[in-house]
């Protein structure tokens, strides 16, 4: 079997057997088996799921990371190797990322004696719920690592295309819940109550002025209300309405300013309506900050490798790789996967043609990064 076909077979086997974040038991067993069969040493970190392996000798360590978890989505892609697990699907392409880094591992193993140090391979669980990177770091997976690299497939780019950027890349992700507390009343006698629905409606509109009127137009920001719930029938004005939403930013000052404005707007409207609004805030993944030099290095290696390279746009989604970059330098990159349906879509279907090249690219990247002083 050719090298490329082996990687596609592994990808399909992972694709058929997807597991949710933190439950990647069979996936972990498969990856361990494939690495061990290739004579690659596994590091004895204590992990519930996920695998850390290493190739080479010496002081210097470069890390490559793949994520391995899937999503609670019922697959509709129609591919012959569709998910066997009801309601679970590799709809973010982490099966592809895993086979790419497995491929890089095989290539690096073949040139192990020539490596100027060690390459550590992180097969990370639980990316989708943003807990996996933290777990691997806690287990010690970044010990002695000089720089770390990882990828996401990019459905909007053609195969053979590579993109990254220095500095902020993926967004800081926050979640908020707003609980409007009014006073219930008969729908025909609204003056006897304090209508939480009218107040919540004003709140949704007022929140839209944060992005348009409070934040510098040159800064990136998203404020979205994604859930609104209140009332349960047609002739009663409800007492409570709950709203939930998300804020995406790339800069900590902007993020703090948005959080402050949401609280101020909620307090101001509550006061104007004689009601109460409780604001609850949940900090999610932090901004992914690529190291300028390592991002430029990854881009140069991609260009020399033959990829069509371009500078990435800012990404409004979150990515758990950000947590590694909070601890050590490195770069996260995008590789074109040309899927008609996007990430997290039930019909997502990345082009497998990207896998072999990306494996060769990451092996080259790690090998060359070991030579950087
Ligand atoms: Zn995802
Ligand atoms: Zn993903």
């Amino acid at each position: 079997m050719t090298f490329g076909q082996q990687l596609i077979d592994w990808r399909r086997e992972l694709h058929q057997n997807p597991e949710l974040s933190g439950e990647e038991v069979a996936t972990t067993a498969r990856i361990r088996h494939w690495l061990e069969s290739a004579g690659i040493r596994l590091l004895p970190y204590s992990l519930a799921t996920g695998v850390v392996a290493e190739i080479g000798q010496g002081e210097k360590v470069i890390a490559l990371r793949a994520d391995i978890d899937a999503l609670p989505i019922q697959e509709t892609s129609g591919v012959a190797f569709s998910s066997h697990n009801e309601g679970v699907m590799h709809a973010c392409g982490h099966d592809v990322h895993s086979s790419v880094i497995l491929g890089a591992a095989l290539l690096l193993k073949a040139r192990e004696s020539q490596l100027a140090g060690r390459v550590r391979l992180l097969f990370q669980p639980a990316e989708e719920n943003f807990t996996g990177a933290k777990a691997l770091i806690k287990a010690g997976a970044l010990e002695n690592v000089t720089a770390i690299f990882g990828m996401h497939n990019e459905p909007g780019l053609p195969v053979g295309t590579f993109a990254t950027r220095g500095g902020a890349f993926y967004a800081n992700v926050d979640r908020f819940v707003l609980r409007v507390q009014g006073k219930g009343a008969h729908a025909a006698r609204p003056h006897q109550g304090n209508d939480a629905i009218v107040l919540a409606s004003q709140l949704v509109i007022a929140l839209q002025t944060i992005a348009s009127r409070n934040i510098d137009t040159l800064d990136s920001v998203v404020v979205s209300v994604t859930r609104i719930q209140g009332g349960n029938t047609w002739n009663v004005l409800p007492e409570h309405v709950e709203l939930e939403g998300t804020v995406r930013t790339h800069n900590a000052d902007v993020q703090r300013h948005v959080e402050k404005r949401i609280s101020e707007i909620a307090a101001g409207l509550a006061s104007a309506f004689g009601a109460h609004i409780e604001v609850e805030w949940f900090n999610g993944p932090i901004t992914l900050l690529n190291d300028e030099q390592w991002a430029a290095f990854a881009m140069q290696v991609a260009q020399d490798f033959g990829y069509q390279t371009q500078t990435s746009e800012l990404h409004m989604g979150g990515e758990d790789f950000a947590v590694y970059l909070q601890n050590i330098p490195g770069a996260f990159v995008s590789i074109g996967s040309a899927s008609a349906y996007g990430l997290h879509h039930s019909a997502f279907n990345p082009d497998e043609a990207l896998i072999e090249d990306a494996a060769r690219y990451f092996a080259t990247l790690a090998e060359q990064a070991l030579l950087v002083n």
Side-chain angles (χ1 to χ4, degrees), residues 65 67 69 71 91-94 97 127-128 151-153 170 318-319 332 343-344:
R65 174 273 211 172
D67 38 16
D69 54 331
L71 287 156
C92 205
H94 298 181
H97 308 165
E127 191 286 325
E128 295 289 355
M151 72 165 281
H152 212 290
N153 75 91
Y170 282 64
E319 166 58 56
F332 196 65
L343 302 173
H344 294 206

Side-chain angles (χ1 to χ4, degrees), residues 2 8 15 21-22 61 104 107 122 159 189 237 248 252 255 268 304:
T2 66
I8 287 174
H15 191 84
S21 306
V61 185
L107 294 167
L122 275 54
V159 171
R189 288 188 288 278
L237 293 169
R248 308 294 170 101
Q255 186 238 357
D304 297 344

Side-chain angles (χ1 to χ4, degrees), residues 132-153:
K134 219 173 264 176
L136 251 60
I137 293 169
K138 197 165 162 241
L142 289 188
E143 272 166 351
N144 304 315
V145 175
T146 305
I148 186 165
F149 299 96
M151 72 165 281
H152 212 290
N153 75 91

Side-chain angles (χ1 to χ4, degrees), residues 314-364:
L314 283 176
H315 203 300
M316 298 316 293
E319 166 58 56
D320 194 28
F321 193 83
V323 183
Y324 300 113
L325 295 179
Q326 200 179 26
N327 289 269
I328 57 164
F332 196 65
V333 308
S334 302
I335 291 182
S337 61
S339 170
Y341 295 92
L343 302 173
H344 294 206
H345 192 284
S346 62
F348 173 66
N349 185 17
D351 189 335
E352 292 171 328
L354 79 89
I355 296 174
E356 182 177 350
D357 279 348
R360 294 188 187 283
Y361 166 76
F362 273 101
T364 307

Side-chain angles (χ1 to χ4, degrees), residues 65-318:
R65 174 273 211 172
D67 38 16
I68 66 172
D69 54 331
L71 287 156
I73 293 174
Q74 180 63 41
E75 179 158 11
T76 64
S77 72
V79 296
F81 52 90
S82 285
S83 171
H84 286 166
N85 296 348
E86 189 72 16
V88 185
M89 176 190 177
H90 268 297
C92 205
H94 298 181
D95 51 343
V96 171
H97 308 165
S98 295
S99 70
V100 165
I101 299 304
L102 281 163
L106 295 188
L107 294 167
L108 288 162
K109 182 67 187 170
R111 7 196 232 254
E112 188 164 29
S113 59
Q114 289 108 279
L115 297 178
R118 289 176 278 158
V119 180
R120 193 169 298 162
L121 308 151
L122 275 54
F123 293 90
Q124 183 210 301
E127 191 286 325
E128 295 289 355
N129 66 7
F130 305 109
T131 60
K134 219 173 264 176
L136 251 60
I137 293 169
K138 197 165 162 241
L142 289 188
E143 272 166 351
N144 304 315
V145 175
T146 305
I148 186 165
F149 299 96
M151 72 165 281
H152 212 290
N153 75 91
E154 179 51 63
L157 292 178
V159 171
T161 310
F162 176 102
T164 190
R165 61 182 289 130
F169 187 2
Y170 282 64
N172 182 91
V173 180
D174 292 321
R175 176 165 79 90
F176 60 82
V177 175
L178 303 172
R179 293 188 188 87
V180 178
Q181 170 76 53
K183 184 170 174 243
H186 193 295
R189 288 188 288 278
H191 62 287
Q192 292 174 347
N194 193 353
D195 189 347
I197 285 186
V198 170
L199 172 47
S201 307
Q202 304 253 354
L203 186 54
V204 172
I205 303 301
L207 293 179
Q208 292 313 304
T209 64
I210 297 174
S212 67
R213 290 298 173 265
N214 297 146
I215 301 299
D216 189 321
T217 48
L218 300 180
D219 281 319
S220 56
V221 61
V222 174
V223 180
S224 291
V225 174
T226 54
R227 177 175 68 83
I228 175 162
Q229 259 163 344
N232 48 26
T233 187
W234 66 278
N235 57 359
V236 177
L237 293 169
E239 207 146 284
H240 311 279
V241 174
E242 193 168 287
L243 303 95
E244 186 171 11
T246 185
V247 173
R248 308 294 170 101
T249 51
H250 288 94
N251 169 306
D253 290 337
V254 174
Q255 186 238 357
R256 278 190 292 272
H257 192 46
V258 173
E259 184 175 356
K260 180 165 157 275
R261 284 302 294 146
I262 289 180
S263 289
E264 287 170 355
I265 288 170
L269 277 176
S271 153
F273 281 74
H276 180 74
I277 302 175
E278 181 192 317
V279 180
E280 201 175 354
W281 196 268
F282 304 87
N283 294 110
I286 52 173
T287 307
L288 186 149
L289 287 171
N290 268 347
D291 180 79
E292 296 283 353
Q293 258 127 48
W294 283 120
F297 181 82
M299 183 76 104
Q300 186 59 53
V301 173
Q303 231 161 59
D304 297 344
F305 184 78
Y307 273 122
Q308 293 288 324
T309 60
Q310 55 182 256
T311 303
S312 296
E313 304 278 313
L314 283 176
H315 203 300
M316 298 316 293

